[in-house]
Every structure is written in C-alpha cells, then in structure tokens.
Amino acid sequence: MSFILEISGELACFTRPELKVERVSYPVITPSAARNILMAILWKPAIRWRILRIEILKPIQWVHFRRNEVGVKMSDRSQGLYIEDNRQQRASMLLRDVAYRIHADFEMTDEAGEGDNRTKFVEMFKRRASKGQYFHQPYLGCREFPCHFRLLEKAEDGLPREDITQDFGFMLYDMDYSQSDPRDSNRAEPMFYQCKAVNGVIIVPPVDSEEVRR
C-alpha cells in the first residue's frame, strides 16, 4: 500500500546545493523536499517516510527575479539585528505554477513503542491529510513558498500527467544523518541520484540502492 498526495503551489525553489550564493532551483522537486511535505503532515519518531515515485503534473516553467535577504544570523546573545546593515540583494531562479503527485510509503523504525503499529499511523495520516491538517505549513523547497495538498485514493482522481521525458542529471536525493546527530544538519552528508522522467514519471530508488551516490 502507498499514499498518493497531490501538491501544488505558485512558486517553488528546490535549491541546488552547489550554488551557494544565488538561489537556483532544480527543474523538478527533490525526494527530500517531497519527504519534508509528508513529515509536515505527519511526523513521528516511530515512522520513516520513503518516496516511491513522483509524477509531474504541469509544464516546467521558470521565473527570474531579485530579492532582498539578510546575510547573517542573529545569535542567541545578540540584542538585535539591524537589517539595513546586513541586507543583500540576490538573484533567484525559481519554478512557477508547479504541481506534482507524490507516491510514498513509510516503514516502522526502532523507536516505535509498544502501542505503535502500521495501522495506527496509516489512519492517522489519512485523517490529517484528508482534512488538510499539518504540524507546520508544508512548503515547496523554501518556507516562503507554501504548498497546497490533497490526498487521493487513486492517481486518476487528480490532474493529468505531463508527457515529459527528460534526464535531469544528478540531483539531491536526501541528507544522510547516519554518521551524525540528526539535529545537526551541518554535519549531514548529501546523497545524490540520477533523476530521469519518463512520460512524466520519476522513479525514486530506495536509499540503500546502488543508484544512490554518497
């Protein structure tokens, strides 16, 4: 059994990690961004989400603009931050008018308690997703780009798929926290995979597959 979630938004930015200063998006959503959307709806230590495949539902469209960002972080001991002294203008290359259909499932982890079982979390996710509930606002790569979602019984209930066949090259798969503290994102190792769409469908390999490079 897998879950089918249709997502959409006006803007999206699935940032390429090799570009540090300017924000440039991948052409399509990354598996890690898709997983974060599911975790925004239901996250528990007892389960681990896995993306199975992604369907592209709208043409790939780009938008370019400049925006102001703050170039530093305010420390815990700071009395404040004067934005005008730290304002930076940066160019962004974003996606616009995006829509995807995520096929996903979860597995139980070692942190599952005595009362935890698959049926419990299946019903919990279905209930929350069908009512539009979430723990925090799902977003499309960056928090300023909110994500709208709806749970589908079957893919045919949603938008038609775009007939896109394209090799997008190596794309960020997810972050590997196995060798570091999960709370310390700065020490996580990135994982990549060869992202290809065939007739609008991207098959996402398992994390332990040889297709996933570290």
Side-chain angles (χ1 to χ4, degrees):
M1 174 188 175
S2 63
F3 304 92
I4 305 174
L5 197 70
E6 194 168 277
I7 63 172
S8 61
E10 295 181 5
L11 292 171
C13 183
F14 310 111
T15 308
R16 303 182 71 101
E18 68 269 26
L19 301 174
K20 300 294 185 180
V21 178
E22 310 296 344
R23 289 188 183 272
V24 178
S25 178
Y26 283 114
V28 293
I29 188 172
T30 61
S32 59
R35 175 182 56 80
N36 283 333
I37 292 171
L38 294 162
M39 290 176 61
I41 300 171
L42 178 64
W43 177 85
K44 296 289 182 182
I47 66 174
R48 181 185 298 113
W49 284 103
R50 191 209 146 191
I51 308 302
L52 305 176
R53 67 181 185 273
I54 298 167
E55 297 180 73
I56 306 170
L57 306 181
K58 289 190 176 181
I60 300 172
Q61 303 177 81
W62 298 94
V63 60
H64 305 256
F65 61 83
R66 291 185 176 275
R67 59 181 179 172
N68 293 320
E69 297 184 4
V70 177
V72 298
K73 293 182 178 180
M74 187 170 65
S75 68
D76 295 335
R77 298 187 298 272
S78 174
Q79 297 299 315
L81 178 66
Y82 188 55
I83 294 177
E84 295 301 326
D85 288 343
N86 297 279
R87 190 187 301 276
Q88 297 178 357
Q89 191 176 72
R90 294 179 177 174
S92 298
M93 185 173 178
L94 313 178
L95 297 169
R96 66 179 178 87
D97 192 22
V98 301
Y100 306 98
R101 197 156 39 238
I102 301 170
H103 298 253
D105 199 0
F106 66 79
E107 59 186 11
M108 305 299 293
T109 71
D110 294 338
E111 297 188 50
E114 185 176 341
D116 293 331
N117 58 74
R118 179 176 174 83
T119 301
K120 169 185 174 180
F121 294 113
V122 166
E123 295 303 318
M124 190 180 298
F125 178 78
K126 285 184 174 180
R127 181 173 64 253
R128 295 182 64 82
S130 62
K131 293 181 178 180
Q133 297 176 334
Y134 46 79
F135 289 106
H136 62 81
Q137 172 66 55
Y139 54 88
L140 294 164
C142 296
R143 293 184 184 276
E144 58 264 44
F145 306 137
C147 168
H148 309 289
F149 65 88
R150 62 171 177 153
L151 183 66
L152 302 178
E153 288 294 328
K154 54 184 184 296
E156 292 76 13
D157 295 337
L159 297 171
R161 188 172 67 233
E162 284 291 318
D163 188 15
I164 296 175
T165 297
Q166 186 174 342
D167 187 340
F168 298 109
F170 273 100
M171 179 180 290
L172 181 68
Y173 179 90
D174 212 325
M175 303 300 291
D176 183 4
Y177 294 95
S178 61
Q179 304 300 320
S180 64
D181 186 338
R183 294 167 296 183
D184 186 2
S185 59
N186 293 323
R187 299 184 62 185
E189 293 292 330
M191 299 181 287
F192 298 87
Y193 81 115
Q194 190 76 23
C195 180
K196 300 177 182 179
V198 179
N199 298 325
V201 179
I202 299 170
I203 302 299
V204 180
V207 67
D208 56 356
S209 168
E210 293 183 356
E211 298 178 51
V212 178
R213 307 290 181 84
R214 290 171 171 80

mmCIF file of all heavy atoms in Angstrom, residues 160-206:
data_model
loop_
_atom_site.group_PDB
_atom_site.id
_atom_site.type_symbol
_atom_site.label_atom_id
_atom_site.label_comp_id
_atom_site.label_asym_id
_atom_site.label_seq_id
_atom_site.Cartn_x
_atom_site.Cartn_y
_atom_site.Cartn_z
ATOM 1 N N PRO A 160 -4.178 15.506 -14.811
ATOM 2 C CA PRO A 160 -3.477 14.681 -15.805
ATOM 3 C C PRO A 160 -1.974 14.895 -15.729
ATOM 4 O O PRO A 160 -1.503 15.978 -15.383
ATOM 5 C CB PRO A 160 -4.053 15.154 -17.139
ATOM 6 C CG PRO A 160 -4.544 16.538 -16.867
ATOM 7 C CD PRO A 160 -5.017 16.544 -15.449
ATOM 8 N N ARG A 161 -1.227 13.869 -16.073
ATOM 9 C CA ARG A 161 0.228 13.926 -16.006
ATOM 10 C C ARG A 161 0.789 14.554 -17.273
ATOM 11 O O ARG A 161 0.279 14.336 -18.375
ATOM 12 C CB ARG A 161 0.775 12.513 -15.814
ATOM 13 C CG ARG A 161 2.247 12.432 -15.529
ATOM 14 C CD ARG A 161 2.638 11.013 -15.154
ATOM 15 N NE ARG A 161 2.494 10.096 -16.274
ATOM 16 C CZ ARG A 161 1.809 8.953 -16.228
ATOM 17 N NH1 ARG A 161 1.181 8.593 -15.124
ATOM 18 N NH2 ARG A 161 1.741 8.162 -17.284
ATOM 19 N N GLU A 162 1.859 15.352 -17.105
ATOM 20 C CA GLU A 162 2.550 15.933 -18.253
ATOM 21 C C GLU A 162 3.402 14.863 -18.939
ATOM 22 O O GLU A 162 4.046 14.050 -18.277
ATOM 23 C CB GLU A 162 3.462 17.086 -17.809
ATOM 24 C CG GLU A 162 2.736 18.370 -17.488
ATOM 25 C CD GLU A 162 2.143 19.028 -18.717
ATOM 26 O OE1 GLU A 162 2.812 19.059 -19.778
ATOM 27 O OE2 GLU A 162 1.002 19.518 -18.618
ATOM 28 N N ASP A 163 3.411 14.884 -20.263
ATOM 29 C CA ASP A 163 4.193 13.909 -21.023
ATOM 30 C C ASP A 163 5.618 14.427 -21.191
ATOM 31 O O ASP A 163 6.008 14.905 -22.258
ATOM 32 C CB ASP A 163 3.537 13.651 -22.376
ATOM 33 C CG ASP A 163 4.215 12.506 -23.127
ATOM 34 O OD1 ASP A 163 4.982 11.755 -22.492
ATOM 35 O OD2 ASP A 163 3.987 12.372 -24.350
ATOM 36 N N ILE A 164 6.381 14.339 -20.110
ATOM 37 C CA ILE A 164 7.762 14.841 -20.100
ATOM 38 C C ILE A 164 8.710 13.657 -19.964
ATOM 39 O O ILE A 164 8.616 12.881 -19.009
ATOM 40 C CB ILE A 164 7.987 15.822 -18.934
ATOM 41 C CG1 ILE A 164 7.116 17.071 -19.106
ATOM 42 C CG2 ILE A 164 9.463 16.203 -18.832
ATOM 43 C CD1 ILE A 164 7.184 18.043 -17.947
ATOM 44 N N THR A 165 9.605 13.502 -20.921
ATOM 45 C CA THR A 165 10.670 12.505 -20.846
ATOM 46 C C THR A 165 11.988 13.250 -20.939
ATOM 47 O O THR A 165 12.296 13.850 -21.977
ATOM 48 C CB THR A 165 10.546 11.469 -21.973
ATOM 49 O OG1 THR A 165 9.307 10.755 -21.821
ATOM 50 C CG2 THR A 165 11.707 10.482 -21.921
ATOM 51 N N GLN A 166 12.748 13.223 -19.846
ATOM 52 C CA GLN A 166 13.964 14.030 -19.785
ATOM 53 C C GLN A 166 14.894 13.500 -18.711
ATOM 54 O O GLN A 166 14.457 13.021 -17.666
ATOM 55 C CB GLN A 166 13.602 15.493 -19.489
ATOM 56 C CG GLN A 166 14.767 16.458 -19.535
ATOM 57 C CD GLN A 166 14.320 17.900 -19.369
ATOM 58 O OE1 GLN A 166 13.142 18.227 -19.543
ATOM 59 N NE2 GLN A 166 15.242 18.781 -19.030
ATOM 60 N N ASP A 167 16.183 13.578 -18.977
ATOM 61 C CA ASP A 167 17.200 13.233 -17.988
ATOM 62 C C ASP A 167 17.648 14.535 -17.322
ATOM 63 O O ASP A 167 18.226 15.412 -17.973
ATOM 64 C CB ASP A 167 18.382 12.537 -18.659
ATOM 65 C CG ASP A 167 19.394 12.002 -17.657
ATOM 66 O OD1 ASP A 167 19.401 12.475 -16.501
ATOM 67 O OD2 ASP A 167 20.185 11.119 -18.026
ATOM 68 N N PHE A 168 17.395 14.679 -16.032
ATOM 69 C CA PHE A 168 17.723 15.904 -15.301
ATOM 70 C C PHE A 168 19.125 15.864 -14.688
ATOM 71 O O PHE A 168 19.525 16.803 -14.015
ATOM 72 C CB PHE A 168 16.687 16.160 -14.204
ATOM 73 C CG PHE A 168 15.293 16.362 -14.730
ATOM 74 C CD1 PHE A 168 14.315 15.403 -14.529
ATOM 75 C CD2 PHE A 168 14.969 17.506 -15.438
ATOM 76 C CE1 PHE A 168 13.031 15.583 -15.010
ATOM 77 C CE2 PHE A 168 13.680 17.702 -15.924
ATOM 78 C CZ PHE A 168 12.707 16.733 -15.717
ATOM 79 N N GLY A 169 19.835 14.762 -14.890
ATOM 80 C CA GLY A 169 21.186 14.647 -14.347
ATOM 81 C C GLY A 169 21.168 14.303 -12.863
ATOM 82 O O GLY A 169 20.141 13.920 -12.298
ATOM 83 N N PHE A 170 22.335 14.457 -12.225
ATOM 84 C CA PHE A 170 22.427 14.140 -10.802
ATOM 85 C C PHE A 170 21.685 15.192 -9.991
ATOM 86 O O PHE A 170 21.860 16.388 -10.192
ATOM 87 C CB PHE A 170 23.883 14.056 -10.350
ATOM 88 C CG PHE A 170 24.477 12.701 -10.553
ATOM 89 C CD1 PHE A 170 25.282 12.433 -11.645
ATOM 90 C CD2 PHE A 170 24.197 11.675 -9.668
ATOM 91 C CE1 PHE A 170 25.823 11.180 -11.839
ATOM 92 C CE2 PHE A 170 24.727 10.410 -9.849
ATOM 93 C CZ PHE A 170 25.540 10.164 -10.945
ATOM 94 N N MET A 171 20.856 14.718 -9.095
ATOM 95 C CA MET A 171 20.018 15.584 -8.273
ATOM 96 C C MET A 171 20.142 15.158 -6.813
ATOM 97 O O MET A 171 20.386 13.985 -6.504
ATOM 98 C CB MET A 171 18.556 15.486 -8.727
ATOM 99 C CG MET A 171 17.588 16.338 -7.932
ATOM 100 S SD MET A 171 15.883 16.185 -8.529
ATOM 101 C CE MET A 171 16.027 17.017 -10.097
ATOM 102 N N LEU A 172 19.970 16.125 -5.923
ATOM 103 C CA LEU A 172 19.986 15.808 -4.491
ATOM 104 C C LEU A 172 18.893 14.793 -4.166
ATOM 105 O O LEU A 172 17.734 14.988 -4.514
ATOM 106 C CB LEU A 172 19.773 17.077 -3.673
ATOM 107 C CG LEU A 172 19.793 16.887 -2.155
ATOM 108 C CD1 LEU A 172 21.188 16.504 -1.678
ATOM 109 C CD2 LEU A 172 19.307 18.146 -1.449
ATOM 110 N N TYR A 173 19.278 13.723 -3.515
ATOM 111 C CA TYR A 173 18.329 12.683 -3.106
ATOM 112 C C TYR A 173 17.817 12.976 -1.695
ATOM 113 O O TYR A 173 16.628 13.074 -1.455
ATOM 114 C CB TYR A 173 19.024 11.319 -3.163
ATOM 115 C CG TYR A 173 18.163 10.151 -2.739
ATOM 116 C CD1 TYR A 173 17.389 9.473 -3.667
ATOM 117 C CD2 TYR A 173 18.149 9.709 -1.418
ATOM 118 C CE1 TYR A 173 16.603 8.383 -3.285
ATOM 119 C CE2 TYR A 173 17.382 8.641 -1.037
ATOM 120 C CZ TYR A 173 16.605 7.976 -1.966
ATOM 121 O OH TYR A 173 15.823 6.908 -1.578
ATOM 122 N N ASP A 174 18.746 13.109 -0.770
ATOM 123 C CA ASP A 174 18.399 13.410 0.619
ATOM 124 C C ASP A 174 19.686 13.637 1.388
ATOM 125 O O ASP A 174 20.771 13.591 0.817
ATOM 126 C CB ASP A 174 17.586 12.261 1.237
ATOM 127 C CG ASP A 174 16.578 12.750 2.270
ATOM 128 O OD1 ASP A 174 16.901 13.725 2.987
ATOM 129 O OD2 ASP A 174 15.473 12.191 2.379
ATOM 130 N N MET A 175 19.538 13.870 2.689
ATOM 131 C CA MET A 175 20.698 14.045 3.550
ATOM 132 C C MET A 175 20.852 12.808 4.432
ATOM 133 O O MET A 175 19.865 12.287 4.971
ATOM 134 C CB MET A 175 20.547 15.288 4.414
ATOM 135 C CG MET A 175 20.336 16.574 3.625
ATOM 136 S SD MET A 175 21.684 16.957 2.494
ATOM 137 C CE MET A 175 22.993 17.359 3.666
ATOM 138 N N ASP A 176 22.081 12.342 4.561
ATOM 139 C CA ASP A 176 22.388 11.152 5.355
ATOM 140 C C ASP A 176 22.843 11.581 6.747
ATOM 141 O O ASP A 176 23.910 12.163 6.905
ATOM 142 C CB ASP A 176 23.474 10.346 4.650
ATOM 143 C CG ASP A 176 23.796 9.049 5.386
ATOM 144 O OD1 ASP A 176 23.117 8.749 6.392
ATOM 145 O OD2 ASP A 176 24.724 8.340 4.957
ATOM 146 N N TYR A 177 22.003 11.274 7.753
ATOM 147 C CA TYR A 177 22.314 11.640 9.137
ATOM 148 C C TYR A 177 22.880 10.457 9.929
ATOM 149 O O TYR A 177 23.062 10.554 11.134
ATOM 150 C CB TYR A 177 21.055 12.132 9.842
ATOM 151 C CG TYR A 177 20.506 13.428 9.285
ATOM 152 C CD1 TYR A 177 19.503 13.414 8.331
ATOM 153 C CD2 TYR A 177 20.980 14.661 9.715
ATOM 154 C CE1 TYR A 177 18.989 14.605 7.817
ATOM 155 C CE2 TYR A 177 20.481 15.844 9.212
ATOM 156 C CZ TYR A 177 19.481 15.811 8.264
ATOM 157 O OH TYR A 177 18.978 16.983 7.751
ATOM 158 N N SER A 178 23.142 9.353 9.246
ATOM 159 C CA SER A 178 23.542 8.137 9.974
ATOM 160 C C SER A 178 24.869 8.287 10.707
ATOM 161 O O SER A 178 25.111 7.605 11.696
ATOM 162 C CB SER A 178 23.626 6.953 8.999
ATOM 163 O OG SER A 178 24.596 7.199 7.991
ATOM 164 N N GLN A 179 25.740 9.184 10.215
ATOM 165 C CA GLN A 179 27.048 9.363 10.845
ATOM 166 C C GLN A 179 27.110 10.618 11.709
ATOM 167 O O GLN A 179 28.197 11.029 12.113
ATOM 168 C CB GLN A 179 28.127 9.436 9.767
ATOM 169 C CG GLN A 179 28.164 8.240 8.833
ATOM 170 C CD GLN A 179 28.424 6.943 9.559
ATOM 171 O OE1 GLN A 179 29.240 6.890 10.482
ATOM 172 N NE2 GLN A 179 27.732 5.883 9.173
ATOM 173 N N SER A 180 25.962 11.241 11.971
ATOM 174 C CA SER A 180 25.976 12.479 12.747
ATOM 175 C C SER A 180 24.705 12.592 13.572
ATOM 176 O O SER A 180 23.779 11.775 13.456
ATOM 177 C CB SER A 180 26.100 13.692 11.815
ATOM 178 O OG SER A 180 24.963 13.796 10.985
ATOM 179 N N ASP A 181 24.651 13.603 14.396
ATOM 180 C CA ASP A 181 23.469 13.902 15.181
ATOM 181 C C ASP A 181 22.370 14.407 14.236
ATOM 182 O O ASP A 181 22.580 15.381 13.514
ATOM 183 C CB ASP A 181 23.802 14.974 16.215
ATOM 184 C CG ASP A 181 22.653 15.239 17.181
ATOM 185 O OD1 ASP A 181 21.489 14.940 16.836
ATOM 186 O OD2 ASP A 181 22.919 15.758 18.283
ATOM 187 N N PRO A 182 21.168 13.766 14.206
ATOM 188 C CA PRO A 182 20.099 14.208 13.309
ATOM 189 C C PRO A 182 19.706 15.658 13.503
ATOM 190 O O PRO A 182 19.120 16.268 12.611
ATOM 191 C CB PRO A 182 18.945 13.261 13.667
ATOM 192 C CG PRO A 182 19.584 12.069 14.270
ATOM 193 C CD PRO A 182 20.806 12.597 14.986
ATOM 194 N N ARG A 183 20.006 16.223 14.668
ATOM 195 C CA ARG A 183 19.649 17.614 14.922
ATOM 196 C C ARG A 183 20.674 18.594 14.348
ATOM 197 O O ARG A 183 20.449 19.796 14.334
ATOM 198 C CB ARG A 183 19.503 17.834 16.436
ATOM 199 C CG ARG A 183 18.338 17.067 17.044
ATOM 200 C CD ARG A 183 18.430 17.060 18.563
ATOM 201 N NE ARG A 183 19.621 16.339 19.026
ATOM 202 C CZ ARG A 183 19.924 16.129 20.295
ATOM 203 N NH1 ARG A 183 19.121 16.588 21.237
ATOM 204 N NH2 ARG A 183 21.024 15.468 20.643
ATOM 205 N N ASP A 184 21.820 18.057 13.915
ATOM 206 C CA ASP A 184 22.883 18.910 13.386
ATOM 207 C C ASP A 184 22.945 18.746 11.873
ATOM 208 O O ASP A 184 23.659 17.895 11.349
ATOM 209 C CB ASP A 184 24.222 18.528 14.025
ATOM 210 C CG ASP A 184 25.348 19.475 13.616
ATOM 211 O OD1 ASP A 184 25.065 20.435 12.869
ATOM 212 O OD2 ASP A 184 26.496 19.248 14.029
ATOM 213 N N SER A 185 22.192 19.574 11.157
ATOM 214 C CA SER A 185 22.110 19.448 9.700
ATOM 215 C C SER A 185 23.424 19.820 9.025
ATOM 216 O O SER A 185 23.664 19.431 7.880
ATOM 217 C CB SER A 185 20.985 20.334 9.150
ATOM 218 O OG SER A 185 21.198 21.688 9.486
ATOM 219 N N ASN A 186 24.299 20.573 9.708
ATOM 220 C CA ASN A 186 25.553 20.992 9.098
ATOM 221 C C ASN A 186 26.531 19.831 8.912
ATOM 222 O O ASN A 186 27.466 19.933 8.121
ATOM 223 C CB ASN A 186 26.207 22.084 9.947
ATOM 224 C CG ASN A 186 25.413 23.377 9.943
ATOM 225 O OD1 ASN A 186 24.839 23.743 8.930
ATOM 226 N ND2 ASN A 186 25.378 24.054 11.083
ATOM 227 N N ARG A 187 26.335 18.751 9.640
ATOM 228 C CA ARG A 187 27.253 17.621 9.560
ATOM 229 C C ARG A 187 26.688 16.460 8.750
ATOM 230 O O ARG A 187 27.342 15.434 8.596
ATOM 231 C CB ARG A 187 27.604 17.140 10.968
ATOM 232 C CG ARG A 187 28.304 18.189 11.819
ATOM 233 C CD ARG A 187 28.708 17.630 13.165
ATOM 234 N NE ARG A 187 29.647 16.529 13.036
ATOM 235 C CZ ARG A 187 30.080 15.797 14.055
ATOM 236 N NH1 ARG A 187 29.649 16.061 15.282
ATOM 237 N NH2 ARG A 187 30.925 14.810 13.861
ATOM 238 N N ALA A 188 25.493 16.603 8.222
ATOM 239 C CA ALA A 188 24.887 15.545 7.417
ATOM 240 C C ALA A 188 25.547 15.487 6.040
ATOM 241 O O ALA A 188 25.988 16.498 5.497
ATOM 242 C CB ALA A 188 23.389 15.793 7.269
ATOM 243 N N GLU A 189 25.625 14.281 5.478
ATOM 244 C CA GLU A 189 26.236 14.084 4.170
ATOM 245 C C GLU A 189 25.153 14.042 3.093
ATOM 246 O O GLU A 189 24.157 13.336 3.229
ATOM 247 C CB GLU A 189 27.021 12.769 4.147
ATOM 248 C CG GLU A 189 28.236 12.760 5.052
ATOM 249 C CD GLU A 189 29.311 13.712 4.553
ATOM 250 O OE1 GLU A 189 29.397 13.913 3.331
ATOM 251 O OE2 GLU A 189 30.055 14.257 5.391
ATOM 252 N N PRO A 190 25.331 14.807 1.996
ATOM 253 C CA PRO A 190 24.328 14.778 0.924
ATOM 254 C C PRO A 190 24.413 13.485 0.116
ATOM 255 O O PRO A 190 25.491 12.912 -0.066
ATOM 256 C CB PRO A 190 24.700 15.992 0.069
ATOM 257 C CG PRO A 190 26.159 16.190 0.308
ATOM 258 C CD PRO A 190 26.416 15.766 1.729
ATOM 259 N N MET A 191 23.269 13.038 -0.366
ATOM 260 C CA MET A 191 23.186 11.884 -1.252
ATOM 261 C C MET A 191 22.560 12.340 -2.573
ATOM 262 O O MET A 191 21.676 13.199 -2.578
ATOM 263 C CB MET A 191 22.338 10.774 -0.620
ATOM 264 C CG MET A 191 22.885 10.232 0.684
ATOM 265 S SD MET A 191 21.852 8.903 1.384
ATOM 266 C CE MET A 191 20.432 9.860 1.966
ATOM 267 N N PHE A 192 23.001 11.762 -3.676
ATOM 268 C CA PHE A 192 22.526 12.159 -4.997
ATOM 269 C C PHE A 192 22.068 10.937 -5.787
ATOM 270 O O PHE A 192 22.465 9.807 -5.489
ATOM 271 C CB PHE A 192 23.632 12.884 -5.766
ATOM 272 C CG PHE A 192 24.089 14.164 -5.114
ATOM 273 C CD1 PHE A 192 25.090 14.150 -4.144
ATOM 274 C CD2 PHE A 192 23.524 15.375 -5.448
ATOM 275 C CE1 PHE A 192 25.519 15.324 -3.536
ATOM 276 C CE2 PHE A 192 23.938 16.557 -4.851
ATOM 277 C CZ PHE A 192 24.932 16.525 -3.896
ATOM 278 N N TYR A 193 21.231 11.190 -6.803
ATOM 279 C CA TYR A 193 20.822 10.115 -7.704
ATOM 280 C C TYR A 193 20.579 10.686 -9.094
ATOM 281 O O TYR A 193 20.403 11.894 -9.257
ATOM 282 C CB TYR A 193 19.587 9.392 -7.175
ATOM 283 C CG TYR A 193 18.267 10.081 -7.458
ATOM 284 C CD1 TYR A 193 17.319 9.485 -8.286
ATOM 285 C CD2 TYR A 193 17.949 11.317 -6.893
ATOM 286 C CE1 TYR A 193 16.096 10.103 -8.543
ATOM 287 C CE2 TYR A 193 16.735 11.931 -7.142
ATOM 288 C CZ TYR A 193 15.817 11.316 -7.972
ATOM 289 O OH TYR A 193 14.611 11.939 -8.225
ATOM 290 N N GLN A 194 20.594 9.809 -10.100
ATOM 291 C CA GLN A 194 20.339 10.221 -11.469
ATOM 292 C C GLN A 194 18.827 10.338 -11.658
ATOM 293 O O GLN A 194 18.109 9.344 -11.637
ATOM 294 C CB GLN A 194 20.914 9.198 -12.453
ATOM 295 C CG GLN A 194 20.926 9.643 -13.899
ATOM 296 C CD GLN A 194 22.037 10.641 -14.201
ATOM 297 O OE1 GLN A 194 23.026 10.687 -13.473
ATOM 298 N NE2 GLN A 194 21.880 11.406 -15.260
ATOM 299 N N CYS A 195 18.363 11.560 -11.820
ATOM 300 C CA CYS A 195 16.925 11.806 -11.900
ATOM 301 C C CYS A 195 16.472 11.810 -13.360
ATOM 302 O O CYS A 195 16.961 12.618 -14.162
ATOM 303 C CB CYS A 195 16.594 13.145 -11.239
ATOM 304 S SG CYS A 195 14.838 13.567 -11.286
ATOM 305 N N LYS A 196 15.554 10.921 -13.677
ATOM 306 C CA LYS A 196 15.024 10.822 -15.035
ATOM 307 C C LYS A 196 13.499 10.769 -14.976
ATOM 308 O O LYS A 196 12.930 10.088 -14.123
ATOM 309 C CB LYS A 196 15.547 9.562 -15.740
ATOM 310 C CG LYS A 196 17.054 9.490 -15.875
ATOM 311 C CD LYS A 196 17.467 8.179 -16.518
ATOM 312 C CE LYS A 196 18.985 8.066 -16.625
ATOM 313 N NZ LYS A 196 19.391 6.766 -17.226
ATOM 314 N N ALA A 197 12.870 11.481 -15.895
ATOM 315 C CA ALA A 197 11.417 11.415 -16.032
ATOM 316 C C ALA A 197 11.089 10.688 -17.332
ATOM 317 O O ALA A 197 11.662 10.997 -18.381
ATOM 318 C CB ALA A 197 10.806 12.811 -16.050
ATOM 319 N N VAL A 198 10.206 9.726 -17.263
ATOM 320 C CA VAL A 198 9.730 9.006 -18.439
ATOM 321 C C VAL A 198 8.218 9.144 -18.484
ATOM 322 O O VAL A 198 7.522 8.674 -17.580
ATOM 323 C CB VAL A 198 10.129 7.512 -18.401
ATOM 324 C CG1 VAL A 198 9.586 6.783 -19.634
ATOM 325 C CG2 VAL A 198 11.642 7.358 -18.330
ATOM 326 N N ASN A 199 7.731 9.842 -19.502
ATOM 327 C CA ASN A 199 6.301 10.129 -19.620
ATOM 328 C C ASN A 199 5.749 10.790 -18.360
ATOM 329 O O ASN A 199 4.644 10.487 -17.908
ATOM 330 C CB ASN A 199 5.514 8.847 -19.930
ATOM 331 C CG ASN A 199 5.921 8.220 -21.250
ATOM 332 O OD1 ASN A 199 6.246 8.928 -22.200
ATOM 333 N ND2 ASN A 199 5.933 6.900 -21.312
ATOM 334 N N GLY A 200 6.571 11.671 -17.785
ATOM 335 C CA GLY A 200 6.123 12.431 -16.623
ATOM 336 C C GLY A 200 6.276 11.735 -15.290
ATOM 337 O O GLY A 200 5.838 12.260 -14.266
ATOM 338 N N VAL A 201 6.901 10.554 -15.265
ATOM 339 C CA VAL A 201 7.049 9.781 -14.023
ATOM 340 C C VAL A 201 8.524 9.663 -13.654
ATOM 341 O O VAL A 201 9.348 9.255 -14.476
ATOM 342 C CB VAL A 201 6.434 8.372 -14.164
ATOM 343 C CG1 VAL A 201 6.630 7.580 -12.866
ATOM 344 C CG2 VAL A 201 4.958 8.465 -14.502
ATOM 345 N N ILE A 202 8.847 10.025 -12.416
ATOM 346 C CA ILE A 202 10.208 9.884 -11.880
ATOM 347 C C ILE A 202 10.187 8.755 -10.846
ATOM 348 O O ILE A 202 9.471 8.837 -9.843
ATOM 349 C CB ILE A 202 10.686 11.179 -11.208
ATOM 350 C CG1 ILE A 202 10.726 12.330 -12.223
ATOM 351 C CG2 ILE A 202 12.057 10.979 -10.570
ATOM 352 C CD1 ILE A 202 10.962 13.686 -11.582
ATOM 353 N N ILE A 203 10.939 7.695 -11.107
ATOM 354 C CA ILE A 203 11.058 6.590 -10.157
ATOM 355 C C ILE A 203 12.181 6.924 -9.171
ATOM 356 O O ILE A 203 13.305 7.226 -9.582
ATOM 357 C CB ILE A 203 11.354 5.262 -10.866
ATOM 358 C CG1 ILE A 203 10.248 4.936 -11.884
ATOM 359 C CG2 ILE A 203 11.489 4.127 -9.847
ATOM 360 C CD1 ILE A 203 8.869 4.772 -11.277
ATOM 361 N N VAL A 204 11.873 6.889 -7.894
ATOM 362 C CA VAL A 204 12.858 7.213 -6.857
ATOM 363 C C VAL A 204 13.396 5.915 -6.266
ATOM 364 O O VAL A 204 12.629 5.123 -5.698
ATOM 365 C CB VAL A 204 12.225 8.078 -5.750
ATOM 366 C CG1 VAL A 204 13.263 8.415 -4.680
ATOM 367 C CG2 VAL A 204 11.631 9.352 -6.348
ATOM 368 N N PRO A 205 14.693 5.656 -6.387
ATOM 369 C CA PRO A 205 15.252 4.400 -5.877
ATOM 370 C C PRO A 205 15.283 4.367 -4.355
ATOM 371 O O PRO A 205 15.276 5.421 -3.706
ATOM 372 C CB PRO A 205 16.661 4.390 -6.456
ATOM 373 C CG PRO A 205 17.006 5.840 -6.640
ATOM 374 C CD PRO A 205 15.720 6.514 -7.004
ATOM 375 N N PRO A 206 15.332 3.174 -3.762
ATOM 376 C CA PRO A 206 15.483 3.070 -2.298
ATOM 377 C C PRO A 206 16.808 3.674 -1.848
ATOM 378 O O PRO A 206 17.762 3.751 -2.613
ATOM 379 C CB PRO A 206 15.441 1.554 -2.037
ATOM 380 C CG PRO A 206 14.861 0.950 -3.272
ATOM 381 C CD PRO A 206 15.224 1.866 -4.408
#
